[in-house]
Every structure is written in structure tokens, then in C-alpha cells.
Amino acid sequence: MATIKDIATKAKVSSTLVSRVLNYDETLVVPDSTRKKIFEVAQQLEYVNTRSRKNRKEHRIAIVRGYSEKEELEDTYYLSIRLSVEKTLNEENAEVIVIGKQEEEERLKDVDGIVAIGLFSKQETARLAAISGNIVFADAFGGQDMDCVLFDMKDAVNKVLDYLRELGHQRIGFIGGTDDPGAEKSTSGEDKRTKYFRDYMKKKGLYQETYVRIGAFSPSSGNHLMKELLELPEPPTAIFAANDSLAIGAYRAVFDKGLRIPEDVSIIGFNDISTAKYIVPPLTTV
């Protein structure tokens, strides 16, 4: 049976760090990549914590990731959701398995329930629902008859734009993405953050098509698109980024231009990933 020391050795970190990560110590400041590596090694070694060894597991729950490992590291929003779900399930004495959506269905046959997190196509949603009737989609719309944990996208976007206007901004730009099959979409297929931004700005008479840039939901895309906006003859004074990864990339573009945040340009992100508060200045985010 694997021990904390075994995990520490394979992950090349200290036993103390492993213990704090596996016990979901919320005061611990550690890179998400390190945290992710420790959980992966623990799963590979089939580690079972002391409390769980003493108690019979009541349920076997599968967490199905709707994103790749690369995407998880680029945008730790989904990582934070997964770790929170794992923590709650462990507290409820459930056996937890974590798999990717492309992995073998064989591993899902004997589970008592499924938590599906983000990024699922309609076909993938139907496949998972056929495996288990006990399924919850987190940050994804599984369908009218499915249990889903979502938030009010329109209200969130409106609050962002109200806030920027209260600060006196009129030239407000938007950096968004299109490669997220799990995101809430409008009837035209675009991400609804884009639609709600456009609707709000048009209603206020402030919309400028040249201030809207759409790419991938990644820091590199945010960096590239922000550079384009800053090259405009009259660039926006504020930017709403559709996720924090885009916002972080936009930060870099602003600094590379020799400008300051928020003195020269304001940036607001979306998702509130764990690293948002550690960049300088701390990222304002939903």
C-alpha cells in the first residue's frame, strides 16, 4: 500500500508538501502544476488516506474531465473545480476515480455516479448520460433533463460592464474565445460572453466592432489579441477578457508596450482562477 513518502519520492517533493496537498490545505501556496503532479502520482500509486482506510467506502464516483492535461495547466479554473469536487467527495467517504473523456468506458461501468466537468459536445454528453443516470455536469450544460451547475452568464457580463462604466470607461474592448465546446453558446454558435458584451455595448451606444477580438482561450491568444488592440490609433481604455488565461496574456502585452495597469488600461478577467491574485497588480475577475 502506497504511503505519503512513496508519493513524495516519485513526485520529487517533500513528504510534508504531499501531506498538505492531499489534505486540501487551503493555506498552502504552491504552483498548480505541482499540486496536479502530486494528485496524479497519488492516483497512479492508488494511495488511500488514513481515514479512508478505517472507513468502508459508501460510493464510487467518477469525475470525468472534459479537458486535456495541457488545457488544465493553461487554465487552472477547471483544476480548481475538480479539486473542490474531490475534496467534498473524500469528506463524504466516497471512492473517487478521475478519468479523461476519451478514456475507456470500461472504467465507468461500476460507478454509482458521475460528475462531468466542462468541455463536452452533445454526443459526449449523451454517451455519459447513457452510462449512468446519476450524473451532474459542472460548468457545462448537459441538457434540459440533466442536473447542471451553472451561473448566470448574462448577469455576470452586465456587472463587469456596469463596473467599467462606473469607473468612467467608454472605450471598452473585449477579448474572447471560440474553441470551448462546453461553454454556453448563443443560437449563432458564439460564446455567450461575446453576445452579451455586444448586446450591452450596443444598447449603451458604445459598441465598436474593432474593439472585439476572438481567438483561443489561452494566455498566448490573449497576449496576441491585446497587442492588436494596443496598436489601434485610439485603443480601448478597458478590456473585458472572457477568461483569466486570456487576461493574463493581455497583462503581458500591456507591460511589453511599456504601459501600466490600471493607470493606462484596465483589465477584468473571468473565472477567478487561483493564480489571479498573485499577478501584479492582482487581477480583477468575476
mmCIF file of all heavy atoms in Angstrom, residues 217-243:
data_model
loop_
_atom_site.group_PDB
_atom_site.id
_atom_site.type_symbol
_atom_site.label_atom_id
_atom_site.label_comp_id
_atom_site.label_asym_id
_atom_site.label_seq_id
_atom_site.Cartn_x
_atom_site.Cartn_y
_atom_site.Cartn_z
ATOM 1 N N PHE A 217 -8.930 30.237 -25.963
ATOM 2 C CA PHE A 217 -8.975 30.565 -24.539
ATOM 3 C C PHE A 217 -7.625 30.251 -23.893
ATOM 4 O O PHE A 217 -7.508 29.344 -23.064
ATOM 5 C CB PHE A 217 -10.079 29.769 -23.839
ATOM 6 C CG PHE A 217 -11.465 30.288 -24.102
ATOM 7 C CD1 PHE A 217 -12.268 29.690 -25.062
ATOM 8 C CD2 PHE A 217 -11.970 31.363 -23.397
ATOM 9 C CE1 PHE A 217 -13.559 30.160 -25.308
ATOM 10 C CE2 PHE A 217 -13.256 31.846 -23.639
ATOM 11 C CZ PHE A 217 -14.047 31.238 -24.600
ATOM 12 N N SER A 218 -6.583 30.993 -24.260
ATOM 13 C CA SER A 218 -5.237 30.701 -23.758
ATOM 14 C C SER A 218 -4.474 32.000 -23.520
ATOM 15 O O SER A 218 -4.786 33.040 -24.124
ATOM 16 C CB SER A 218 -4.473 29.835 -24.761
ATOM 17 O OG SER A 218 -4.216 30.569 -25.951
ATOM 18 N N PRO A 219 -3.437 31.966 -22.674
ATOM 19 C CA PRO A 219 -2.631 33.174 -22.431
ATOM 20 C C PRO A 219 -1.980 33.705 -23.703
ATOM 21 O O PRO A 219 -1.926 34.923 -23.912
ATOM 22 C CB PRO A 219 -1.580 32.689 -21.420
ATOM 23 C CG PRO A 219 -2.222 31.543 -20.727
ATOM 24 C CD PRO A 219 -3.042 30.857 -21.795
ATOM 25 N N SER A 220 -1.488 32.796 -24.558
ATOM 26 C CA SER A 220 -0.803 33.249 -25.777
ATOM 27 C C SER A 220 -1.767 33.993 -26.694
ATOM 28 O O SER A 220 -1.403 34.988 -27.331
ATOM 29 C CB SER A 220 -0.183 32.054 -26.519
ATOM 30 O OG SER A 220 -1.172 31.104 -26.862
ATOM 31 N N SER A 221 -3.008 33.510 -26.765
ATOM 32 C CA SER A 221 -4.007 34.189 -27.587
ATOM 33 C C SER A 221 -4.349 35.550 -26.990
ATOM 34 O O SER A 221 -4.461 36.551 -27.714
ATOM 35 C CB SER A 221 -5.271 33.333 -27.694
ATOM 36 O OG SER A 221 -6.214 33.933 -28.556
ATOM 37 N N GLY A 222 -4.487 35.612 -25.674
ATOM 38 C CA GLY A 222 -4.764 36.881 -25.014
ATOM 39 C C GLY A 222 -3.666 37.895 -25.255
ATOM 40 O O GLY A 222 -3.927 39.092 -25.471
ATOM 41 N N ASN A 223 -2.431 37.424 -25.247
ATOM 42 C CA ASN A 223 -1.288 38.289 -25.480
ATOM 43 C C ASN A 223 -1.306 38.853 -26.900
ATOM 44 O O ASN A 223 -1.144 40.061 -27.125
ATOM 45 C CB ASN A 223 0.000 37.510 -25.231
ATOM 46 C CG ASN A 223 1.243 38.345 -25.416
ATOM 47 O OD1 ASN A 223 1.862 38.333 -26.471
ATOM 48 N ND2 ASN A 223 1.620 39.078 -24.387
ATOM 49 N N HIS A 224 -1.529 37.968 -27.865
ATOM 50 C CA HIS A 224 -1.542 38.374 -29.273
ATOM 51 C C HIS A 224 -2.679 39.353 -29.560
ATOM 52 O O HIS A 224 -2.479 40.392 -30.225
ATOM 53 C CB HIS A 224 -1.683 37.127 -30.152
ATOM 54 C CG HIS A 224 -1.924 37.417 -31.597
ATOM 55 N ND1 HIS A 224 -0.958 37.921 -32.429
ATOM 56 C CD2 HIS A 224 -3.049 37.286 -32.356
ATOM 57 C CE1 HIS A 224 -1.459 38.092 -33.642
ATOM 58 N NE2 HIS A 224 -2.722 37.713 -33.623
ATOM 59 N N LEU A 225 -3.878 39.042 -29.065
ATOM 60 C CA LEU A 225 -5.043 39.887 -29.345
ATOM 61 C C LEU A 225 -4.943 41.246 -28.659
ATOM 62 O O LEU A 225 -5.370 42.267 -29.205
ATOM 63 C CB LEU A 225 -6.318 39.160 -28.928
ATOM 64 C CG LEU A 225 -6.598 37.857 -29.679
ATOM 65 C CD1 LEU A 225 -7.818 37.157 -29.105
ATOM 66 C CD2 LEU A 225 -6.789 38.112 -31.173
ATOM 67 N N MET A 226 -4.367 41.264 -27.455
ATOM 68 C CA MET A 226 -4.201 42.533 -26.753
ATOM 69 C C MET A 226 -3.211 43.420 -27.499
ATOM 70 O O MET A 226 -3.406 44.648 -27.592
ATOM 71 C CB MET A 226 -3.713 42.279 -25.327
ATOM 72 C CG MET A 226 -3.655 43.540 -24.466
ATOM 73 S SD MET A 226 -5.311 44.177 -24.138
ATOM 74 C CE MET A 226 -4.941 45.837 -23.577
ATOM 75 N N LYS A 227 -2.167 42.841 -28.045
ATOM 76 C CA LYS A 227 -1.202 43.611 -28.823
ATOM 77 C C LYS A 227 -1.885 44.262 -30.020
ATOM 78 O O LYS A 227 -1.593 45.414 -30.369
ATOM 79 C CB LYS A 227 -0.057 42.717 -29.291
ATOM 80 C CG LYS A 227 0.920 42.351 -28.180
ATOM 81 C CD LYS A 227 2.050 41.471 -28.694
ATOM 82 C CE LYS A 227 3.050 41.181 -27.579
ATOM 83 N NZ LYS A 227 4.146 40.278 -28.035
ATOM 84 N N GLU A 228 -2.816 43.517 -30.658
ATOM 85 C CA GLU A 228 -3.554 44.084 -31.789
ATOM 86 C C GLU A 228 -4.370 45.297 -31.346
ATOM 87 O O GLU A 228 -4.397 46.327 -32.029
ATOM 88 C CB GLU A 228 -4.487 43.028 -32.388
ATOM 89 C CG GLU A 228 -3.776 41.904 -33.132
ATOM 90 C CD GLU A 228 -4.763 40.964 -33.784
ATOM 91 O OE1 GLU A 228 -5.997 41.167 -33.612
ATOM 92 O OE2 GLU A 228 -4.326 40.028 -34.477
ATOM 93 N N LEU A 229 -5.032 45.181 -30.215
ATOM 94 C CA LEU A 229 -5.862 46.284 -29.721
ATOM 95 C C LEU A 229 -5.022 47.509 -29.371
ATOM 96 O O LEU A 229 -5.430 48.652 -29.611
ATOM 97 C CB LEU A 229 -6.665 45.830 -28.502
ATOM 98 C CG LEU A 229 -7.793 44.826 -28.787
ATOM 99 C CD1 LEU A 229 -8.376 44.302 -27.470
ATOM 100 C CD2 LEU A 229 -8.892 45.473 -29.625
ATOM 101 N N LEU A 230 -3.853 47.274 -28.804
ATOM 102 C CA LEU A 230 -2.991 48.386 -28.405
ATOM 103 C C LEU A 230 -2.379 49.114 -29.595
ATOM 104 O O LEU A 230 -1.907 50.244 -29.468
ATOM 105 C CB LEU A 230 -1.878 47.887 -27.476
ATOM 106 C CG LEU A 230 -2.333 47.409 -26.090
ATOM 107 C CD1 LEU A 230 -1.158 46.819 -25.321
ATOM 108 C CD2 LEU A 230 -2.977 48.548 -25.315
ATOM 109 N N GLU A 231 -2.385 48.478 -30.759
ATOM 110 C CA GLU A 231 -1.845 49.103 -31.964
ATOM 111 C C GLU A 231 -2.875 49.975 -32.683
ATOM 112 O O GLU A 231 -2.542 50.660 -33.648
ATOM 113 C CB GLU A 231 -1.336 48.027 -32.927
ATOM 114 C CG GLU A 231 -0.078 47.298 -32.448
ATOM 115 C CD GLU A 231 1.091 48.246 -32.220
ATOM 116 O OE1 GLU A 231 1.251 49.186 -33.027
ATOM 117 O OE2 GLU A 231 1.822 48.055 -31.235
ATOM 118 N N LEU A 232 -4.121 49.941 -32.227
ATOM 119 C CA LEU A 232 -5.146 50.770 -32.864
ATOM 120 C C LEU A 232 -4.835 52.250 -32.643
ATOM 121 O O LEU A 232 -4.244 52.628 -31.633
ATOM 122 C CB LEU A 232 -6.523 50.443 -32.266
ATOM 123 C CG LEU A 232 -7.079 49.046 -32.563
ATOM 124 C CD1 LEU A 232 -8.367 48.818 -31.763
ATOM 125 C CD2 LEU A 232 -7.348 48.875 -34.055
ATOM 126 N N PRO A 233 -5.245 53.115 -33.584
ATOM 127 C CA PRO A 233 -4.995 54.562 -33.427
ATOM 128 C C PRO A 233 -5.562 55.116 -32.126
ATOM 129 O O PRO A 233 -4.962 55.971 -31.493
ATOM 130 C CB PRO A 233 -5.703 55.162 -34.646
ATOM 131 C CG PRO A 233 -5.735 54.051 -35.652
ATOM 132 C CD PRO A 233 -5.893 52.788 -34.860
ATOM 133 N N GLU A 234 -6.727 54.595 -31.733
ATOM 134 C CA GLU A 234 -7.352 55.000 -30.472
ATOM 135 C C GLU A 234 -7.758 53.726 -29.720
ATOM 136 O O GLU A 234 -8.897 53.274 -29.804
ATOM 137 C CB GLU A 234 -8.576 55.878 -30.727
ATOM 138 C CG GLU A 234 -9.087 56.573 -29.475
ATOM 139 C CD GLU A 234 -10.192 57.571 -29.794
ATOM 140 O OE1 GLU A 234 -11.074 57.241 -30.619
ATOM 141 O OE2 GLU A 234 -10.166 58.678 -29.233
ATOM 142 N N PRO A 235 -6.822 53.104 -29.008
ATOM 143 C CA PRO A 235 -7.093 51.812 -28.359
ATOM 144 C C PRO A 235 -8.090 51.935 -27.211
ATOM 145 O O PRO A 235 -8.306 53.034 -26.677
ATOM 146 C CB PRO A 235 -5.716 51.388 -27.839
ATOM 147 C CG PRO A 235 -4.979 52.669 -27.654
ATOM 148 C CD PRO A 235 -5.458 53.583 -28.748
ATOM 149 N N PRO A 236 -8.724 50.843 -26.838
ATOM 150 C CA PRO A 236 -9.643 50.874 -25.695
ATOM 151 C C PRO A 236 -8.906 51.194 -24.401
ATOM 152 O O PRO A 236 -7.712 50.892 -24.266
ATOM 153 C CB PRO A 236 -10.234 49.463 -25.677
ATOM 154 C CG PRO A 236 -9.253 48.618 -26.421
ATOM 155 C CD PRO A 236 -8.640 49.505 -27.450
ATOM 156 N N THR A 237 -9.617 51.796 -23.470
ATOM 157 C CA THR A 237 -9.018 52.112 -22.158
ATOM 158 C C THR A 237 -9.304 51.015 -21.145
ATOM 159 O O THR A 237 -8.749 51.027 -20.047
ATOM 160 C CB THR A 237 -9.579 53.433 -21.618
ATOM 161 O OG1 THR A 237 -11.000 53.318 -21.465
ATOM 162 C CG2 THR A 237 -9.260 54.582 -22.567
ATOM 163 N N ALA A 238 -10.181 50.087 -21.505
ATOM 164 C CA ALA A 238 -10.504 48.967 -20.614
ATOM 165 C C ALA A 238 -10.771 47.725 -21.449
ATOM 166 O O ALA A 238 -11.267 47.821 -22.581
ATOM 167 C CB ALA A 238 -11.721 49.282 -19.752
ATOM 168 N N ILE A 239 -10.427 46.563 -20.876
ATOM 169 C CA ILE A 239 -10.601 45.294 -21.569
ATOM 170 C C ILE A 239 -11.358 44.317 -20.673
ATOM 171 O O ILE A 239 -11.013 44.132 -19.501
ATOM 172 C CB ILE A 239 -9.247 44.658 -21.943
ATOM 173 C CG1 ILE A 239 -8.488 45.546 -22.928
ATOM 174 C CG2 ILE A 239 -9.443 43.252 -22.528
ATOM 175 C CD1 ILE A 239 -9.140 45.686 -24.282
ATOM 176 N N PHE A 240 -12.373 43.682 -21.245
ATOM 177 C CA PHE A 240 -13.044 42.563 -20.582
ATOM 178 C C PHE A 240 -12.569 41.296 -21.282
ATOM 179 O O PHE A 240 -12.828 41.100 -22.465
ATOM 180 C CB PHE A 240 -14.558 42.712 -20.679
ATOM 181 C CG PHE A 240 -15.320 41.499 -20.213
ATOM 182 C CD1 PHE A 240 -14.874 40.719 -19.153
ATOM 183 C CD2 PHE A 240 -16.507 41.142 -20.833
ATOM 184 C CE1 PHE A 240 -15.582 39.610 -18.727
ATOM 185 C CE2 PHE A 240 -17.224 40.034 -20.411
ATOM 186 C CZ PHE A 240 -16.756 39.263 -19.359
ATOM 187 N N ALA A 241 -11.838 40.443 -20.563
ATOM 188 C CA ALA A 241 -11.344 39.178 -21.107
ATOM 189 C C ALA A 241 -12.275 38.045 -20.679
ATOM 190 O O ALA A 241 -12.667 37.957 -19.514
ATOM 191 C CB ALA A 241 -9.924 38.905 -20.618
ATOM 192 N N ALA A 242 -12.622 37.164 -21.607
ATOM 193 C CA ALA A 242 -13.625 36.132 -21.354
ATOM 194 C C ALA A 242 -13.163 35.049 -20.388
ATOM 195 O O ALA A 242 -13.986 34.279 -19.899
ATOM 196 C CB ALA A 242 -14.069 35.490 -22.667
ATOM 197 N N ASN A 243 -11.874 34.946 -20.134
ATOM 198 C CA ASN A 243 -11.405 34.108 -19.022
ATOM 199 C C ASN A 243 -10.076 34.650 -18.505
ATOM 200 O O ASN A 243 -9.469 35.535 -19.116
ATOM 201 C CB ASN A 243 -11.332 32.614 -19.399
ATOM 202 C CG ASN A 243 -10.161 32.253 -20.279
ATOM 203 O OD1 ASN A 243 -9.359 33.097 -20.679
ATOM 204 N ND2 ASN A 243 -10.048 30.979 -20.616
#
